[in-house]
Each structure stands twice: as structure tokens, then as C-alpha cells.
Amino acid sequence: MTSFDTSHVKNIVLLGHAGSGKTTLSECMLYEAGLTTRRGTIEEKNTVSDFYELEQQRGNSIFSKLLHTQWRGYKINIMDTPGYDDFAGDVLASLRVADTGVLLLNANFGVEVGADIIWDYTERFRTPMVIAVNKLDQDKADFDRTVAQARDHFSNKVVIVQYPLNQGLGFNTIVDVLQMTQYRFPAEGGRPEKLPIQETERAKADQLHKDLIEAIAGNDETLMEKYFEKGNLEENEMRQGLKKAMINHDLFPLFCLSAKKNMGSGRLMGFIDNICPGPADMPPQLTVNGEYLPCDPAGPPCLFVYKVLSESHIGEMSFFKVYSGTVRAGMELVNGADGAIEKINQLFVVEGNKRIPVNELSAGDIGATIKLKHTHVNNTLYAPGKDLELYPIEFPSPLMSIAIESAQKGEEEKLATAIRQICEEDPTVLLEMSQELKQTIIHCQGELHLAVIKWKLEHISKNLRASFSQPRIPYRETIRKPVQSSYRHKKQSGGAGQFGEVYMQVEPWFEGMPDPKGLSVRGREEFQLDWGGKLVFLNCIVGGAIDQRFLPSILKGVMDKMHEGPLTGSHVRDVRVIVYDGKMHPVDSNDISFKIAGMMAFKQAFQQADPQILEPVYSVTVLCPDELTGGIISDLQTRRAIMEGMDTEAHFTKIIARVPLAEMHDYSSTLRSLTQGRAKFRMKFLEYAPVPAEIQRRLIDEYHKFAAHQLA
Ligand SMILES: Nc1nc2c(ncn2[C@@H]2O[C@H](COP(=O)(O)OP(=O)(O)OP(=O)(O)O)[C@@H](O)[C@H]2O)c(=O)[nH]1
Ligand SMILES: [Mg+2]
């Protein structure tokens, strides 16, 4: 394998809604470049990219893949990404390192929701974008509608480079208005005949050519002057102008494809190597410490790890892009995250599940290495003595949580290790060991993502048996009225006795609350509780009824109950406790006596103070096509949602509602089946709110049964 210099590398990412044809296009690209002798298909389960059994079973890509071709002296790294939004993390990671995105649209359906979601991501990275209208061979293909939707949804700067002459079942001809050529493909696709544009299409092609020139000139003053002077632009000027406009995110050229029949992919690759920006054309990377790092093969070596994969027989494989310098096998680099030295023992270029060893990779290129010891996704490795850490990828926050436990005693540690390995590979899987809920919880992107996690667990160890359940809800307890109580703890059994008596008032706490009337406050402690809300503890004891030294013990007793509330064992919040009287015994009073008295007085008062269970409420935002709002709102109403309003965001209708977390458990799968995957949602913690009375009764009953069961 020859190594490629920076100016001969292109990094493209294939993007699009699930099923738009990305993997099929990647097969065409490999075939066109002569890397394969036969195009694999999804149906025959033999594509280079979808090599995992799970992908073949489902007929969908699940993991992003790195492929590459050599094409007219260029190395084109191709990242094929999964279309399902559950795998958005992989899409974001690939976008981070790509220099051009190719967004596939299915000509049958126009702009689907996945494309809208992805477009948002590409705006975040300002990735130069090419749009490819695919499946033009299908009966219901509608090119004009797809272009109109692309302009409407993405940008009016989507500019036609090609249009189909005969879309639908007999599709075989594309008119190219950049080259002003008509391409007619043989029935089996591949290399087209290049023809002059036929007479009947001349006027249309001329007009689109003019539109293209004007769009290009409109972004460049020099070109605009030339265009005014000569009424035209040379092909070379158009190329340069188009490239510049793509880099600035100003123009989005649009192409035609039938990936299935391999029509159009050769010209698309020609455009990629000829015009699409390469790594050195893109703005330099900004390092975390504010310096610019140009993509220079002679600069200090610096690489960024965007993906990690574990393979049973080779261990951990790290995928990276070289952002500066030339990385050579055997080199030692520093990991910016912890300062550890990593030795790059072997370098590879990657072809699906094949690795081809190379000696070096230049700035701009993408490759992989194995057996790094301390390196994770989002780490930057660079030359010792430098400080070149790059900004990390911001992965989407989780949308679904599930509790997991080992189904076999003694396997807990094995299971934990396997989950940690999954988290290492997939930064959108988060693991939480919740002390409060006494559960191990996995946070992920949705039902499909969870199915993949389960599959990975099995893949890591066939014998691991895990069971999954709905996570408990972190309820809170509080009170609604002030109550006074007292408790005397007295114990006399031989030796030293125990005695402590406490009088307290327990009140709902609120911001700006005045001090109690008729009592003088001698001591005040305020606690911002770890679980939210406050405890205010006032010492209003008169005349030394209880010694100052016992106050911390009383507080400790109260705090224990705050930790494990009297109603359901949930944390208590927003309470003010006033200790205003009590009694001591000269010999028997001690810390433990006052701790018990404090705890019991608090518990009694709490139960009489109109106690209330609070539940976490989330702000839920659903984005969907307008016609689906009715069904989504009716479903939300069955989840005790309070509708907050509707709006628009990008091309979605936005529904905003407040929904208790307890009602959101299955939301990702329900929303998917309700809308055939055409809607997406996000949720954010808002506040704790009172649960309705009947739910409070049920929760208390359940807790009592649970506690009785624990005691039995
Ligand atoms: N008729 C027709 N079918 C196509 C074309 N391109 C892809 N397909 C079919 O569409 C289906 C989906 O194709 P894929 O290549 O798996 O699509 P993808 O975008 O990779 O899908 P995900 O990986 O799930 O995101 C397969 O059945 C393909 O055979 C095309 O141009 N014409
Ligand atoms: Mg695919």
C-alpha cells in the first residue's frame, strides 16, 4: 500500500436516513475504484461495510465503517454511517473527522426525518456537503419534489449539478450541467456513454448551467466580475469557485444516483477528487488552548481518536485522523487527557473488517492502530513537549434508561467488565451505579440501541446472563404543614442508661422564609442537599434545656431520616427543623440517645405534617412532521403530560410538554412505532412536583410490602 500525501487524501462520510442507500453506494465506490470485482448487496448480505451478523440479519448498518478507495491517484476514505437516529453518536464521530459529507436522499420519499436530523449535525460542524438523490430507478422517484424539499428543508443554496432525463423504471440517463454532458448508462450500470446534451434538453440544461454559474459567481467577487465581463466562466473557474463555496458552507451541489444499478457513482467520485475539499483545504483545527493547528504533514504529529472498537482476537482498535504531521509506526506520542505516553506500534488503513498495515499516515489521513493502553474516544495524541489537545466530540445525551443485573449469582463482576467495555466503545452508552436506587442503570439512545447493547453483551461472552428491568424512579418526600412533636428516648438495662428528649417543630421550607415567631434563633445550619432542595436546622433552645454538644447528634438523627424518608424510603427535601426544647439526664444522656430522639421526633412530626411524595418531571420536546402532532399529543396525554406549547424548529413541528419521568420509560419505542421513526424527542430534568394522591397511596403501599418482604 503506497502512502498518500496530504493533497491526495479525501475524507468523505456517507449520510442519510435509514435505507437511503449509503451502504449500497459504498459498494459502488469500491467496485468503481477496482477494489472489488463484484458489488455486494444488502439482500445478499455480502457488502464490505455491513459485515456484522447483526447488520446482515437486520438489513441495516448499525456501526459506522471505515473503507477506502484509490481513485485517479487519490485515496478516498469513505465512512459509511448508520441511518437510524439511535446511532447518532457514530454519525457525529464520523462527521467530526470528515472533510465532505454526501447526504443521500431517497427520491421516492424526498427529505425524510433522518436527513433533517443529520443536516442539523452538519451545520454544527459546517461540513461541506454534497447531496445525492438516490433510487432514481424506482417507479415513484420524484426528482423535482426531492430538490424542492431539499431547498426548503436545508438551504436555498442547494444547486443542481445533475438531473435525471428519465427517472423511474427505465432510468439510465443523467444530464450534467457542470460538464454540459449527457451520461447514458448501460443496463448493468457502470461506465456511461458520454453524449452531447440532446436537443430537447438544451434549453433546460442551459438554464441550469447558468443558474449554477450564477450561484458560484455569487459567492466570489472576482468570479462575479469575470462573469459580468464574459457572460460565462471557464470550467476551471467554476471548479475553484464551487470548492470555495463548499468550504464556506455556501453551496450544496446536488447529484443523481441509482446506487443499486451503479449509475452515477463514478461521476460522484470524480467530483469528490476533483472538487470536494480535502483536509488541507479546510480551516485549521483550533486547539483547546486557543492555537490553530494547520493540516501540515511537516508539522508536529497530532492525531485525534474518534472511534474505538474491541475485537476479540486483536483487542482494542483505535480509529483516528492525523490532524498534523506524519504519524509513523513505532512513534511515541503523549495523550493530552492524562499525559501518558502511548507507543503507536502498528498503523493500518482499514477496509471494513480488513486491516492493511502501513508505515506512516500523513496529516489529513484516517487510519487505525491497536493496543493503545490509555487512550479513549475523544483523546488527542501528539508529539511530546507540545500542547495540541483538540476539542472533543459532543455526543447526544441519553433518551432511555434501563436497569441491568446479573441473572447468575457470582457473575456480577464479569457483567460489569463487559458493560464497561461497551461504554468504552460507545460513548453514547452511559453506566450509572445508583446508590440511591440501588440499581445499575444503563442510559442509551433507544430501543434499537439497547438491542445492540444486548447483542454486544452476548458477543463479549456467550455465557453472560443479564436481566433488564425498568429503573426505579428517584422520588422525593416533603411536607405541607408545620407540626410539633416530641420524643423521649429512655433505656435502663443494667450498666449505663440512655436518655434524651427532644421537642421540635417541623415545617415546609421555602425560599425567603421568615424566622419563627416567638423563638430566638441561637444556631442555624443550612444544607443544600445532594439530592436537591434544602434542610434548615434551627437551634432555638432556651435556658440550656439540652446541652449545645447534643445538637449535632439530633441533627444526625434528622439527617438519617432525610436520607431515607418515612413514606417510601426516598430522600426528603425542603424541610425546616426547629429544636426548641428538650430534657437531659445528668448521667445517662449521650450522643446516641439524642440521635435516636431526634430521628424519632422528626419521623413522627413528618408523618403528621401532611407529607407529600414528589416525582421528577421532565421537559419533553418532540420534533415531528406537522401531520403527526395529533397522535403524539394524544399519547402524551395518557402519560399525565401538561402541554406547554407548540412551535417550529427547523422543519419540524415542536411539541413541548412537562411529563413525569415515571411515564417516560417506553417513550422512545412508542414514539418510533407511533410515527414510523419520523419524530424525535429530547428530555431535560425540570423539577420535582407532587404526585397525585392515588399514586402516593400506591407508592406507600408498595414500599410497605417491599419493607415487609425485606424483613421476612
Ligand atoms: N431500487 C433501488 N434500491 C436501492 C438503491 N439504493 C439502495 N437500494 C436498496 O435500498 C435498501 C437500503 O439500502 P442500504 O444501502 O442498506 O441503505 P443504507 O442507507 O445503508 O441504510 P442504513 O444502513 O440502514 O442506514 C436495500 O434494499 C438496497 O438494495 C437504488 O438506487 N435503487
Ligand atoms: Mg447502511
Side-chain angles (χ1 to χ4, degrees):
M1 170 97 203
T2 38
S3 72
F4 285 80
D5 68 73
T6 302
S7 59
H8 287 87
V9 171
K10 301 276 167 148
N11 299 306
I12 65 157
V13 56
L14 304 182
L15 304 161
H17 188 87
S20 53
K22 301 175 286 296
T23 302
T24 309
L25 174 62
S26 70
E27 281 296 313
C28 296
M29 291 177 152
L30 299 181
Y31 177 76
E32 283 296 306
L35 248 98
T36 52
T37 50
R38 184 169 176 265
R39 283 186 298 128
T41 66
I42 304 300
E43 289 70 19
E44 291 170 285
K45 306 181 192 302
N46 59 353
T47 62
V48 174
S49 178
D50 286 354
F51 60 83
Y52 283 103
E53 201 188 326
L54 184 65
E55 299 181 306
Q56 293 169 4
Q57 279 165 10
R58 300 191 60 100
N60 288 110
S61 308
I62 286 173
F63 310 103
S64 70
K65 305 293 166 29
L66 177 60
L67 315 164
H68 75 274
T69 65
Q70 293 177 41
W71 173 262
R72 297 184 190 153
Y74 280 87
K75 178 183 179 211
I76 306 180
N77 290 312
I78 303 167
M79 286 166 281
D80 178 22
T81 61
Y84 275 115
D85 197 32
D86 275 27
F87 310 119
D90 247 7
V91 174
L92 282 165
S94 303
L95 261 172
R96 168 71 167 81
V97 294
D99 301 307
T100 302
V102 177
L103 179 67
L104 275 78
L105 300 178
N106 180 339
N108 291 299
F109 302 129
V111 174
E112 297 170 90
V113 65
D116 270 323
I117 295 170
I118 289 163
W119 192 264
D120 274 0
Y121 298 149
T122 67
E123 302 234 291
R124 195 188 298 175
F125 290 102
R126 294 188 66 76
T127 315
M129 292 297 294
V130 169
I131 294 171
V133 180
N134 188 32
K135 304 203 181 185
L136 283 163
D137 61 294
Q138 287 205 327
D139 196 16
K140 295 208 171 65
D142 188 338
F143 177 79
D144 290 344
R145 186 193 57 188
T146 307
V147 173
Q149 287 184 3
R151 286 187 171 144
D152 183 30
H153 285 229
F154 309 149
S155 160
N156 56 8
K157 301 209 174 127
V158 169
V159 51
I160 293 176
V161 174
Q162 298 182 332
Y163 69 90
L165 193 68
N166 53 352
Q167 64 185 341
L169 294 178
F171 174 66
N172 70 348
T173 306
I174 293 171
V175 177
D176 191 305
V177 300
L178 176 59
Q179 297 194 325
M180 289 308 277
T181 305
Q182 188 164 314
Y183 292 110
R184 189 166 65 208
F185 293 88
E188 69 285 0
R191 194 172 290 266
E193 245 181 295
K194 287 188 188 175
L195 304 166
I197 295 175
Q198 67 189 53
E199 206 44 49
T200 51
E201 295 301 315
R202 267 271 30 133
K204 181 175 175 183
D206 282 345
Q207 181 57 49
L208 288 171
H209 183 71
K210 195 161 167 268
D211 292 349
L212 181 58
I213 293 182
E214 283 177 3
I216 295 170
N219 283 300
D220 186 308
E221 271 179 31
T222 330
L223 290 181
M224 188 54 109
E225 276 169 26
K226 279 196 179 157
Y227 176 58
F228 274 139
E229 248 170 57
K230 299 189 290 181
N232 207 343
L233 289 181
E234 313 262 317
E235 201 179 317
N236 206 27
E237 290 166 336
M238 286 178 77
R239 278 195 199 144
Q240 291 306 324
L242 200 44
K243 183 174 196 163
K244 188 172 152 209
M246 285 181 72
I247 295 169
N248 294 336
H249 220 57
D250 278 335
L251 276 187
F252 308 105
L254 180 138
F255 287 78
C256 292
L257 277 181
S258 163
K260 180 127 188 155
K261 296 192 155 181
N262 192 18
M263 294 177 182
S265 61
R267 169 77 178 107
L268 182 59
M269 284 169 81
F271 184 83
I272 289 168
D273 69 31
N274 243 324
I275 295 181
C276 285
D281 299 318
M282 296 302 288
Q285 288 283 307
L286 180 64
T287 65
V288 171
N289 76 6
E291 279 167 31
Y292 285 100
L293 182 68
C295 180
D296 175 4
C302 173
L303 62 87
F304 177 82
V305 175
Y306 71 96
K307 185 179 166 76
V308 168
L309 206 72
S310 277
E311 288 289 351
S312 48
H313 49 291
I314 52 162
E316 212 161 84
M317 186 153 149
S318 310
F319 292 77
F320 60 83
K321 180 175 183 180
V322 182
Y323 274 102
S324 163
T326 301
V327 174
R328 298 192 172 84
M331 213 172 222
E332 286 192 341
L333 298 175
V334 181
N335 184 335
D338 58 5
I341 295 282
E342 286 280 17
K343 185 161 185 193
I344 313 288
N345 283 310
Q346 284 170 286
L347 285 174
F348 302 100
V349 295
V350 180
E351 195 59 65
N353 61 354
K354 283 200 218 100
R355 294 174 307 283
I356 303 130
V358 288
N359 290 328
E360 60 177 44
L361 289 168
S362 299
D365 209 346
I366 293 178
T369 183
I370 52 173
K371 298 196 170 72
L372 293 182
K373 290 197 178 66
H374 319 274
T375 300
H376 312 283
V377 170
N378 266 340
N379 286 171
T380 315
L381 305 185
Y382 47 78
K386 304 278 175 189
D387 180 5
L388 303 176
E389 189 162 2
L390 299 175
Y391 279 98
I393 304 155
E394 273 179 46
F395 289 103
S397 22
L399 294 172
M400 183 183 160
S401 305
I402 190 101
I404 179 169
E405 63 183 326
S406 170
Q408 278 157 297
K409 277 249 165 304
E411 296 278 283
E412 290 81 3
E413 201 35 56
K414 220 164 131 192
L415 181 68
T417 311
I419 301 173
R420 271 186 223 110
Q421 182 178 328
I422 293 172
C423 293
E424 171 68 29
E425 277 181 30
D426 183 347
T428 59
V429 181
L430 304 179
L431 179 66
E432 182 196 356
M433 309 282 195
S434 171
Q435 297 266 350
E436 176 185 353
L437 305 176
K438 300 180 182 66
Q439 282 181 314
T440 300
I441 298 171
I442 290 179
H443 303 282
C444 64
Q445 294 290 308
E447 209 65 48
L448 198 53
H449 196 197
L450 178 63
V452 173
I453 294 168
K454 290 179 179 174
W455 176 82
K456 278 190 179 173
L457 276 176
E458 219 172 89
H459 201 69
I460 292 169
S461 164
K462 286 240 173 319
N463 305 322
L464 269 182
R465 295 276 168 272
S467 63
F468 295 84
S469 58
Q470 193 171 331
R472 297 187 188 110
I473 303 293
Y475 291 107
R476 299 285 177 260
E477 299 178 15
T478 193
I479 48 173
R480 284 178 288 192
K481 68 172 195 198
V483 163
Q484 292 188 339
S485 75
S486 65
Y487 191 87
R488 172 183 293 184
H489 175 69
K490 189 174 171 187
K491 212 164 150 194
Q492 255 141 7
S493 50
Q498 291 186 354
F499 184 91
E501 187 168 343
V502 173
Y503 286 72
M504 68 169 63
Q505 170 147 325
V506 175
E507 310 173 322
W509 173 85
F510 56 89
E511 199 64 68
M513 183 172 200
D515 276 349
K517 279 206 188 102
L519 293 171
S520 64
V521 178
R522 284 155 210 283
R524 177 194 307 270
E525 287 191 77
E526 295 202 11
F527 299 92
Q528 205 69 53
L529 301 163
D530 287 350
W531 51 86
K534 256 194 175 177
L535 165 69
V536 175
F537 185 78
L538 301 185
N539 169 7
C540 296
I541 289 172
V542 226
I546 305 176
D547 239 22
Q548 191 69 22
R549 68 192 160 102
F550 292 129
L551 263 295
S553 308
I554 300 174
L555 172 62
K556 202 155 185 305
V558 170
M559 213 32 137
D560 276 6
K561 268 292 128 196
M562 294 286 294
H563 219 272
E564 209 170 318
L567 299 184
T568 57
S570 310
H571 296 327
V572 175
R573 57 177 288 167
D574 299 329
V575 178
R576 182 161 83 175
V577 175
I578 305 162
V579 182
Y580 62 89
D581 205 356
K583 281 203 185 80
M584 291 184 296
H585 184 276
V587 182
D588 292 347
S589 278
N590 57 9
D591 286 340
I592 185 76
S593 312
F594 276 101
K595 182 181 164 195
I596 293 171
M599 182 167 78
M600 294 310 287
F602 179 75
K603 185 177 170 189
Q604 280 175 9
F606 192 92
Q607 272 161 338
Q608 292 155 23
D610 199 4
Q612 171 70 59
I613 299 177
L614 304 172
E615 61 181 342
V617 173
Y618 277 66
S619 171
V620 175
T621 303
V622 186
L623 301 176
C624 63
D626 195 46
E627 67 272 19
L628 299 179
T629 48
I632 292 170
I633 291 174
S634 323
D635 172 74
L636 281 171
Q637 276 158 350
T638 66
R639 298 172 188 271
R640 298 192 280 127
I642 297 171
M643 304 314 294
E644 297 257 277
M646 282 175 58
D647 201 346
T648 52
E649 184 176 312
H651 280 268
F652 295 111
T653 297
K654 178 157 93 174
I655 304 166
I656 307 158
R658 298 157 54 96
V659 193
L661 178 65
E663 304 290 339
M664 288 298 289
H665 174 61
D666 61 344
Y667 195 61
S668 95
S669 49
T670 306
L671 186 67
R672 171 160 292 141
S673 58
L674 205 64
T675 64
Q676 288 81 46
R678 294 170 66 211
K680 68 168 186 168
F681 79 103
R682 50 180 186 252
M683 55 194 274
K684 199 166 163 235
F685 173 75
L686 200 60
E687 60 178 8
Y688 270 94
V691 300
E694 69 279 8
I695 296 186
Q696 172 145 334
R697 271 195 299 278
R698 196 195 67 208
L699 291 171
I700 293 172
D701 276 359
E702 281 172 8
Y703 179 67
H704 283 159
K705 279 188 200 137
F706 169 76
H709 178 76
Q710 295 285 92
L711 282 175

